[in-house]
Amino acid sequence: MPAIEILVILVAGFGAGAINAVVGTGTLITFPTLVAFGYPPQIATMSNAIGLVAGSVSGTWGYRRELRGQWQMLKWQIPASFLGALLGAWLLLHLPPSVFATVVPVLMIAALTLVIFQPRIQAWARRRSEAAGVAVDHLGRVKLTLLTIGTFAVGVYGGYFTAAQGILLIGVMGVLVSEPIQRMNASKNLLTLIVNVVAALSYTIVAFDRISWSAAGLIAIGSLIGGSVGARYGRRLSPRALRAAIVVLGVIGLWRLLD
């Protein structure tokens, strides 16, 4: 592997790890980088998913304080992400990549719209809860069911194509959960870690010989450092700044998907 290729993949991995910790569109950096160096799309997808696990670990660890007190939701979301990722990984290995080509942009637009209007949606939900005499932070059976189904659906998407699954998760949780966006971001990091681990293990078991382990290793090194840096500075962003970062990077990611 040429030195310039090694350097570029390392830098791409660092950028992806940092962005994933804050937003969740890092794959839109590393995936095109691998394709630009001549890796076939399916090999690039699998190698990238394996490499980004390291960044997901460091990003989740960096947000560990914000995860406290969220077990009521996570005990349902974790298995939903796990099962969804299994199905998504199976789909990647059995369906052509073009299947989701028209669906992904629509999902991205919907998720970004939810992120933009999340404060208004939460304010509306708060008013309804107060009028009904229900605690604002109460997560009823209907909401919990919808949250679990939404998390499963994003897990399927993440197991198939990891790009922007974090934005989709933030969009789903923002509608159903009365939590500050930084706490939702912490949950997003944990759930995407689970999806990435499941996908990586599935690819390793089923398609070991079709993975570029050198590329995956370089992305892992870069993303491990990037995830730690992203979490360190991402946690300091105000809710408005974090939401703005999600939208801006999401729009860039959407543009790259449609390009």
Side-chain angles (χ1 to χ4, degrees):
M1 184 182 292
I4 186 64
E5 183 176 340
I6 293 174
L7 179 61
V8 171
I9 294 176
L10 276 172
V11 172
F14 174 87
I19 290 174
N20 278 343
V22 180
V23 181
T25 58
T27 290
L28 298 178
I29 296 176
T30 44
F31 176 76
T33 298
L34 294 182
V35 172
F37 280 114
Y39 294 86
Q42 193 177 55
I43 292 177
T45 297
M46 293 187 291
S47 305
N48 177 64
I50 291 172
L52 288 179
V53 168
S56 296
V57 171
S58 59
T60 301
W61 178 254
Y63 267 90
R64 63 191 181 279
R65 293 178 184 175
E66 285 76 10
L67 283 171
R68 294 172 183 168
Q70 298 199 59
W71 180 243
Q72 180 188 5
M73 299 181 301
L74 290 175
K75 68 181 179 182
W76 296 97
Q77 288 181 285
I78 288 173
S81 288
F82 178 82
L83 294 175
L86 282 178
L87 178 56
W90 183 89
L91 290 174
L92 176 67
L93 295 170
H94 292 83
L95 296 177
S98 58
V99 172
F100 278 9
T102 56
V103 177
V104 172
V106 175
L107 293 175
M108 283 282 288
I109 292 171
L112 288 172
T113 301
L114 292 176
V115 171
I116 292 171
F117 291 101
Q118 177 203 341
R120 295 185 180 182
I121 294 172
Q122 286 191 338
W124 173 79
R126 186 178 295 108
R127 288 194 299 269
R128 288 199 59 184
S129 296
E130 291 174 349
V134 180
V136 173
D137 60 351
H138 176 69
L139 193 63
R141 183 175 299 178
V142 174
K143 282 188 177 181
L144 187 58
T145 300
L146 291 174
L147 181 64
T148 303
I149 293 173
T151 303
F152 172 80
V154 176
V156 174
Y157 168 86
Y160 186 93
F161 184 59
T162 56
Q165 59 174 315
I167 290 179
L168 296 178
L169 272 172
I170 291 290
V172 170
M173 289 188 290
V175 175
L176 299 170
V177 178
S178 296
E179 288 281 4
I181 193 168
Q182 286 286 13
R183 284 174 60 80
M184 288 191 287
N185 200 44
S187 298
K188 176 266 293 179
N189 285 343
L190 174 61
L191 296 172
T192 54
L193 169 61
I194 292 169
V195 171
N196 289 343
V197 168
V198 171
L201 289 175
S202 300
Y203 303 153
T204 300
I205 294 170
V206 179
F208 186 90
D209 57 336
R210 286 184 279 167
I211 296 167
S212 174
W213 291 101
S214 56
L218 291 171
I219 291 174
I221 294 171
S223 69
L224 181 66
I225 301 171
S228 178
V229 171
R232 179 179 180 181
Y233 292 100
R235 292 176 64 246
R236 301 178 183 178
L237 292 175
S238 66
R240 182 173 296 180
L242 179 57
R243 187 173 293 105
I246 292 173
V247 173
V248 170
L249 291 172
V251 170
I252 294 173
L254 180 63
W255 171 73
R256 298 212 46 186
L257 283 171
L258 294 174
D259 188 19

